[in-house]
Amino acid sequence: MKNIITYIVIAICLISSIWIGINNNKEEKSNYSPSKKELKLRELNNINKKIDYFQDKNLDRYIAYKKKNKQLKIKDVIKRVNIGLDKPYYTATQKTPYQNKDYILVNKYIYMDENYIPNNLEDLEPSYSRSGMKLVKTAKTALEEMINAAKSEGYPIRVMSSYRSYHYQVSLYNKYVENDGKEAADTYSARPGYSEHQTGLCIDIDDGVINYTNFENSKSFKWMQENAYKYGFILRYPKDKTEITGYTYESWHYRYVGKEIASYIKKNNITFDEYYVMFIENKN
Ligand SMILES: [Zn+2]
């Protein structure tokens, strides 16, 4: 009898402690309210835990951009806002923090100083380029290797434009504005300071026969599509990426970024603008 009473007492104690436990839990849950920031992060599927290019300071911009662009994956929302694409071109601009690096990014949000002239500019050879063309030494070496490889396989490549100074871009841009108006000029020409040609790391090419604006229709273009990355060059303004690059398709414009970056960009089918906000910005 005594044993039975003891068992009953123990049982009552156990049941009541479990009951209290459950109720306490309920209370904790019902009292918990997530912060505004947590709610916003939930809206972005807590992607901040999965990618390291998430920037806290852009949180509200991510949310706003996502609402306007429901078809985009959250990762793409993050990348595009980091690039600055939620704001009109040539607004919220900043000067590039880098000089004389293969990974300098110049676009409609990042510009180069009007006094910036890259180090180690070298003349290109008349055998494969128009006269007076210059390129940064590392890019020139890679270019010559690429042109020789293409030539030996039967695909001629000629350089029509390369390094352009700030002041040259001023006269070029002004001429376009005079002819077509500012709005139209902005769709195909960079404003001074915003031209990638000032980096001394990019080239406009043709095959020596077809006009460079039709380079897409040449066999040499096809060769470049398959091989440029092996020499550290990328097609900078692809046909299906105009929303991201801010430039209309340019089959003739190639940018030297080095073999490692070029291979990643080619393999993952992204733009250099995306690569920059994913791996370079805020990391050096
Ligand atoms: Zn160009």
Side-chain angles (χ1 to χ4, degrees):
M1 188 63 186
K2 209 177 174 188
N3 275 348
I4 292 170
I5 291 170
T6 314
Y7 284 135
I8 290 171
V9 169
I10 291 171
I12 289 170
C13 287
L14 270 175
I15 290 165
S16 54
S17 65
I18 289 167
W19 183 249
I20 290 164
I22 288 169
N23 276 322
N24 276 348
N25 257 341
K26 266 189 197 163
E27 202 156 305
E28 262 171 42
K29 269 182 194 158
S30 64
N31 280 349
Y32 176 73
S33 60
S35 68
K36 273 186 189 167
K37 186 180 171 186
E38 278 174 297
L39 288 172
K40 287 175 185 173
L41 288 170
R42 273 187 212 170
E43 237 183 283
L44 299 168
N45 294 351
N46 290 311
I47 197 153
N48 55 316
K49 291 176 184 157
K50 289 170 220 151
I51 56 172
D52 58 7
Y53 49 90
F54 184 95
Q55 296 184 29
D56 271 352
K57 68 174 165 64
N58 291 344
L59 183 53
D60 288 330
R61 289 167 61 194
Y62 296 146
I63 297 284
Y65 198 72
K66 182 178 169 280
K67 277 182 188 150
K68 280 190 201 153
N69 298 277
K70 295 202 167 72
Q71 81 289 359
L72 284 182
K73 288 182 188 155
I74 292 177
K75 260 190 191 178
D76 291 322
V77 168
I78 308 298
K79 282 192 264 181
R80 289 188 189 202
V81 169
N82 286 1
I83 292 170
L85 288 162
D86 58 329
K87 297 187 175 170
Y89 299 142
Y90 300 119
T91 61
T93 58
Q94 53 164 315
K95 194 171 97 178
T96 172
Y98 303 118
Q99 297 205 328
N100 299 302
K101 302 280 185 203
D102 294 342
Y103 51 76
I104 289 182
L105 175 71
V106 178
N107 60 20
K108 287 179 176 172
Y109 303 97
I110 303 179
Y111 63 89
M112 311 189 86
D113 201 85
E114 79 178 281
N115 300 314
Y116 180 76
I117 299 168
N119 289 339
N120 303 316
L121 278 176
E122 288 190 0
D123 292 328
L124 299 184
E125 307 299 327
S127 59
Y128 60 79
S129 115
R130 280 201 314 154
S131 67
M133 300 282 110
K134 289 176 191 295
L135 215 53
V136 168
K137 188 174 193 273
T138 46
K140 179 192 168 185
T141 307
L143 172 71
E144 290 184 344
E145 217 183 301
M146 180 168 74
I147 285 179
N148 288 337
K151 196 177 167 191
S152 71
E153 291 173 37
Y155 303 97
I157 287 168
R158 179 177 61 168
V159 178
M160 299 304 286
S161 184
S162 54
Y163 167 68
R164 298 203 290 250
S165 72
Y166 180 92
H167 298 285
Y168 183 86
Q169 193 67 24
V170 169
S171 59
L172 202 59
Y173 180 73
N174 287 347
K175 193 180 80 187
Y176 293 142
V177 171
E178 207 173 294
N179 290 344
D180 294 333
K182 199 172 172 117
E183 203 179 314
D186 275 339
T187 65
Y188 62 83
S189 171
R191 291 186 187 175
Y194 295 84
S195 169
E196 197 172 55
H197 283 279
Q198 199 186 333
T199 63
L201 295 167
C202 65
I203 44 171
D204 294 337
I205 56 175
D206 68 13
D207 67 350
V209 182
I210 289 179
N211 185 286
Y212 79 97
T213 53
N214 290 323
F215 184 60
E216 185 186 10
N217 302 317
S218 68
K219 286 181 180 166
S220 297
F221 170 75
K222 203 156 174 280
W223 187 91
M224 285 293 287
Q225 285 285 83
E226 285 158 18
N227 298 287
Y229 79 96
K230 295 175 193 166
Y231 304 89
F233 284 88
I234 55 160
L235 178 68
R236 180 69 178 86
Y237 307 119
K239 198 179 244 172
D240 58 344
K241 307 284 185 194
T242 58
E243 263 181 45
I244 301 173
T245 62
Y247 280 91
T248 48
Y249 173 44
E250 292 191 2
S251 63
W252 59 87
H253 180 112
Y254 294 83
R255 162 69 193 269
Y256 179 75
V257 287
K259 287 179 191 172
E260 196 189 324
I261 298 177
S263 298
Y264 186 94
I265 285 174
K266 168 89 174 158
K267 194 174 160 209
N268 294 282
N269 189 28
I270 59 169
T271 60
F272 183 49
D273 310 81
E274 291 167 287
Y275 184 91
Y276 183 88
V277 297
M278 290 167 78
F279 300 113
I280 297 171
E281 190 182 36
N282 303 325
K283 289 198 177 67
N284 285 286

